[in-house]
Amino acid sequence: MSRWRSRFEVLSLFVVFVIIWEIVVRFLEVPSYIIPAPSLILSRLADLFQSGLIWPHLITTGLTILSGLALGIVAGLAFGALIGVVPPAERLIYPYLVAMQTVPKIAIAPLFVLWFGYGITSKIVISALISFFPVLVSVISGLRAAERDQMDMMRVFGASRWQSFLHLRLYAALPTIFAGIEIASILAVIGAIVGEFVGAQEGLGYLITTLNFNMDVAGVFATLIILSAIGLSVHALARYLGRRMVFWRRADEKSAVLSH
Amino acid sequence: MRSDALIQIRSMTKRYETRAKETVLALTDVNLDIGKTEFLTVVGPSGCGKTTLLRILSGLESHTEGTLLIDGTVPSGPRPDISMVFQQATLLPWRTVLQNVLLPRQLQKTMSPQVVERARALLDMAGLSEFENKYPSELSGGMQQRASICRALICDPKILLMDEPFGALDAMTRETMNLELMRIWSAQKKAVIFITHSIPEAVFLGDRVLVMTPRPGRISRIIDVNIPRPRDRSSFANPVFNRICDEIREIFDTQGSGATNQENSNVKMAVSF
């Protein structure tokens, strides 16, 4: 089946779903503060942009996601490389990292707001922490991905440990690392919103709580659409970069996000 | 004792210790001389120590007892005058064919324009000159293995170790590769130690066939192959060829292991797919 036909079918399914939603809501006269009609959500979405109300929130949350993700990736790469290259580091640090991972980050979000304040910093920290782990784990397992035969081959041809790392293990790790970054890109969005739910003065998470408080459910849905658009864009960017870097892999491999 | 011995092995033994703290005798009392331009093939069932022997010669592992002299010196780890071709082509998928062939030179920091020219000449000899800028995934299995042979030759080694290099290829490609290898080896004679599961392959390629048997891994017989060179397809029809093949099969039959008759080696090939 051609790519465009497949896309057309996916889109058709969505359109059918929205039309049925609209009909059901109108026909059964469901109150808009329970489930708003798609048409109402769309007009609220337009309002949010026309009134300019959305921009400060959008910019704050966008910045939070990008900085949080960047920090999470950098930290994940650094710690992962340390653990992957210096075996004793794994023995010492890894148990703590796993223990930390078992703590639900959402549960400690209030602490971060307490420590770093109601501003953007606490949200960036939460977003970074939550996106840190998939990157870390992917770096550690990725650096083990080189096959034994390939490692032997490097040694036979006189490669030092550093050369084996640079020419083999690093490249062999890239597919796994980018799968981790893809997952992190989605988690960074969740982290930012959770942080804003707990306590913020600005941001899309803050906007959702406010709209919800005012029973503006159509507005909440409209904000959710914006959020998922941000999430999709960040994920698409991560995926695009991954494919460019890991050019030798087949292009038809599925996204790592759903399999996680 | 051969006067032109490049590799001298005396009473060599290799012991492993398993995780369960049991000692496994992988090789016992190996005595062998290998000449400077000799093509030595090694046959034997799994567990006869042939891969261990090759790994010791390559410097990837060390032996437990006995002496090993390569070109008059005691080896300590991998060395540039010894190259290896693995069962899998082990090309790096993010490097082009040419970059893969040049890898050993890059690792040994001996790159030069002449080396690049040599790499191109090797690829040309292997019939891959049109593919130098392709990635390994764009090549067939046989082409990948030919590229890996070029990589092994780029350092102009004195010794070429080959660990079942054609074991993963289909029978037709395998036969072509055998003829190709003969051609390449005749052009630049080196000491070649070639491991295989296939008795006909061992007899067709080798000056001598080393027959190994397992439990513990040791040399059972060394058979001279008096089939004239250059060898080609017609060598298969040489009566000597069939006589030696039968002779080797008999060794395995009387040993009771029987693991290296043709049927079994086919099974192994199927498994390795």
Side-chain angles (χ1 to χ4, degrees):
Chain A
M1 192 187 307
S2 85
R3 205 165 134 202
W4 289 108
R5 181 158 166 218
S6 163
R7 282 186 180 180
F8 176 75
E9 285 178 0
V10 171
L11 203 66
S12 309
L13 184 69
F14 176 72
V15 170
V16 169
F17 173 73
V18 170
I19 290 171
I20 292 174
W21 178 356
E22 182 83 35
I23 292 170
V24 169
V25 168
R26 287 191 182 213
F27 195 71
L28 298 178
E29 293 176 350
V30 180
S32 67
Y33 57 84
I34 305 285
I35 298 175
S39 54
L40 187 63
I41 295 170
L42 212 63
S43 80
R44 279 299 283 137
L45 187 63
D47 280 352
L48 283 172
F49 279 99
Q50 270 165 9
S51 65
L53 180 70
I54 196 73
W55 291 116
H57 301 295
L58 190 59
I59 289 164
T60 303
T61 302
L63 265 177
T64 308
I65 292 168
L66 289 180
S67 343
L69 182 59
L71 270 177
I73 291 174
V74 169
L77 289 177
F79 273 90
L82 181 70
I83 289 173
V85 175
V86 189
E90 168 162 17
R91 200 169 47 80
L92 285 175
I93 303 174
Y94 201 59
Y96 290 104
L97 292 172
V98 173
M100 260 173 82
Q101 171 70 332
T102 59
V103 177
K105 253 66 69 188
I106 293 170
I108 53 173
L111 275 179
F112 285 104
V113 174
L114 190 72
W115 291 336
F116 298 102
Y118 280 87
I120 195 172
T121 317
S122 58
K123 285 82 195 169
I124 292 177
V125 172
I126 295 166
S127 180
L129 191 69
I130 210 168
S131 50
F132 164 70
F133 280 96
V135 179
L136 174 81
V137 172
S138 70
V139 174
I140 294 172
S141 71
L143 287 176
R144 291 190 190 131
E147 285 161 32
R148 192 193 135 104
D149 265 7
Q150 289 180 323
M151 292 295 285
D152 282 348
M153 181 275 290
M154 293 297 283
R155 273 181 62 204
V156 163
F157 291 120
S160 63
R161 267 177 68 95
W162 168 244
Q163 282 177 320
S164 284
F165 178 80
L166 194 68
H167 295 294
L168 172 59
R169 292 175 69 198
L170 204 57
Y171 281 95
L174 281 181
T176 319
I177 291 176
F178 272 99
I181 288 178
E182 254 187 68
I183 294 162
S185 71
I186 297 294
L187 292 182
V189 178
I190 296 174
I193 297 302
V194 165
E196 289 171 1
F197 276 172
V198 173
Q201 293 143 329
E202 219 169 39
L204 293 174
Y206 167 79
L207 185 64
I208 288 176
T209 43
T210 312
L211 293 170
N212 210 30
F213 188 71
N214 294 330
M215 300 275 248
D216 184 357
V217 179
V220 172
F221 271 86
T223 316
L224 287 176
I225 291 175
I226 297 167
L227 259 180
S228 72
I230 293 177
L232 282 175
S233 318
V234 177
H235 175 248
L237 180 70
R239 203 161 157 67
Y240 171 76
L241 287 177
R243 287 199 171 165
R244 286 296 297 269
M245 295 285 288
V246 191
F247 62 89
W248 62 92
R249 275 291 186 98
R250 289 203 331 272
D252 56 349
E253 277 168 41
K254 290 267 182 240
S255 157
V257 170
L258 285 182
S259 61
H260 201 71
Chain B
M1 297 301 103
R2 300 163 70 101
S3 56
D4 64 338
L6 180 61
I7 301 172
Q8 293 184 335
I9 303 170
R10 294 288 175 277
S11 322
M12 189 165 79
T13 297
K14 171 73 180 177
R15 282 195 194 83
Y16 286 106
E17 195 158 287
T18 62
R19 284 197 185 165
K21 297 283 171 197
E22 289 163 28
T23 307
V24 176
L25 202 53
L27 277 179
T28 182
D29 197 28
V30 174
N31 289 286
L32 183 65
D33 282 319
I34 302 168
K36 281 190 172 68
T37 60
E38 179 174 3
F39 202 119
L40 179 78
T41 54
V42 185
V43 277
S46 302
C48 70
K50 54 193 192 306
T51 296
T52 304
L53 177 64
L54 209 66
R55 289 177 68 85
I56 292 171
L57 291 176
S58 72
L60 285 173
E61 286 178 35
S62 54
H63 56 284
T64 322
E65 284 160 34
T67 51
L68 167 64
L69 284 182
I70 295 175
D71 208 8
T73 60
V74 178
S76 57
R79 34 195 282 175
D81 57 350
I82 302 178
S83 265
M84 188 149 165
V85 177
F86 296 81
Q87 179 165 9
Q88 302 298 326
T90 62
L91 299 174
L92 301 179
W94 45 87
R95 286 170 164 256
T96 63
V97 171
L98 183 65
Q99 288 167 339
N100 264 296
V101 172
L102 290 169
L103 177 73
R105 288 292 194 164
Q106 192 186 348
L107 295 174
Q108 290 155 22
K109 301 193 171 69
T110 50
M111 280 283 257
S112 68
Q114 291 90 315
V115 169
V116 178
E117 277 319 299
R118 177 164 164 73
R120 290 215 166 91
L122 283 169
L123 284 171
D124 190 37
M125 180 183 68
L128 290 171
S129 44
E130 288 164 45
F131 297 91
E132 64 168 61
N133 291 320
K134 297 264 191 248
Y135 288 92
S137 59
E138 300 171 270
L139 269 57
S140 70
M143 287 156 85
Q144 290 184 16
Q145 199 55 285
R146 271 186 277 166
S148 100
I149 294 172
C150 293
R151 178 181 64 192
L153 293 173
I154 190 70
C155 290
D156 201 12
K158 286 182 180 149
I159 301 164
L160 184 60
L161 307 171
M162 306 184 87
D163 187 5
E164 292 183 52
F166 308 139
L169 304 177
D170 63 84
M172 303 245 295
T173 314
R174 191 171 184 160
E175 204 179 296
T176 318
M177 293 296 287
N178 281 335
L179 295 166
E180 286 280 304
L181 182 62
M182 276 293 91
R183 196 172 54 78
I184 293 170
W185 178 73
S186 328
Q188 26 191 315
K189 289 212 170 180
K190 300 177 182 309
V192 179
I193 296 139
F194 185 104
I195 287 182
T196 177
H197 269 118
S198 157
I199 294 170
E201 187 172 75
V203 177
F204 174 71
L205 292 172
D207 290 319
R208 289 190 297 166
V209 180
L210 198 67
V211 183
M212 294 185 74
T213 46
R215 286 176 292 274
R218 62 193 174 80
I219 298 174
S220 179
R221 279 274 291 284
I222 301 174
I223 298 172
D224 287 298
V225 181
N226 296 315
I227 301 172
R229 294 192 184 271
R231 294 180 192 164
D232 52 31
R233 266 177 223 283
S234 64
S235 308
F236 290 109
N238 191 316
V240 179
F241 177 81
N242 283 318
R243 192 176 52 72
I244 295 176
C245 286
D246 285 340
E247 198 178 331
I248 295 171
R249 286 192 189 101
E250 250 166 57
I251 295 172
F252 290 127
D253 285 345
T254 54
Q255 290 283 336
S257 65
T260 309
N261 53 35
Q262 194 55 41
E263 290 80 23
N264 259 316
S265 76
N266 283 341
V267 169
K268 284 199 190 86
M269 275 175 67
V271 169
S272 66
F273 279 124

